[in-house]
Amino acid sequence: QVYRLPMTALMSITHRITGVGLSAGCLLITAFLIAAAVSEEAFMWIKDFSITPFGTIILFAWSFALYYHTCNGIRHLIWDTVHLLEERAAIMAGWVVLLASAGLTAATWYFASIY
């Protein structure tokens, strides 16, 4: 390919994708709440699904999407104050968003595994 998208464009596309992913992931969270309200059997079915490898991948991806979307949203709020708009600063802020998202996701799953 001749043209490579700049990091800010890739981050923007990823922000939109994670927004859609968060909406889809909310279906599982909603299923938990509805199942808890319906019966213990329904709740255990959803719980059993969530601990399968597929369910765990969904929850892991959802948690990363949540942190990424939040951190990137904060970056956009900073941009609204006319800060970090220079190319180098915008790229560095993008890396901070990625690292913060990965770190927050890892911390969440680490502390969830302890309890």
Side-chain angles (χ1 to χ4, degrees), residues 58-91:
I58 290 172
L59 290 173
F60 184 83
W62 187 81
S63 62
F64 178 80
L66 176 67
Y67 288 126
Y68 176 84
H69 204 77
T70 301
C71 292
N72 204 43
I74 292 169
R75 182 177 72 131
H76 277 272
L77 288 173
I78 293 170
W79 281 356
D80 289 343
T81 66
V82 194
H83 291 87
L84 302 177
L85 292 176
E86 300 80 30
E87 182 180 359
R88 186 161 192 251
I91 291 171

Side-chain angles (χ1 to χ4, degrees), residues 1-68:
Q1 190 169 19
V2 178
Y3 182 72
R4 183 174 167 212
L5 289 173
M7 184 173 191
T8 52
L10 292 172
M11 298 285 287
S12 177
I13 292 165
T14 307
H15 187 79
R16 294 164 202 272
I17 292 169
T18 58
V20 171
L22 287 173
S23 299
C26 283
L27 294 174
L28 184 57
I29 303 301
T30 303
F32 264 111
L33 296 173
I34 292 171
V38 170
S39 69
E40 184 177 350
E41 181 183 323
F43 179 76
M44 293 308 288
W45 188 84
I46 294 292
K47 181 180 172 260
D48 290 342
F49 169 75
S50 70
I51 61 174
T52 64
F54 183 67
T56 303
I57 289 169
I58 290 172
L59 290 173
F60 184 83
W62 187 81
S63 62
F64 178 80
L66 176 67
Y67 288 126
Y68 176 84

Side-chain angles (χ1 to χ4, degrees), residues 107-115:
T108 297
W109 282 83
Y110 172 75
F111 288 114
S113 70
I114 291 175
Y115 300 105

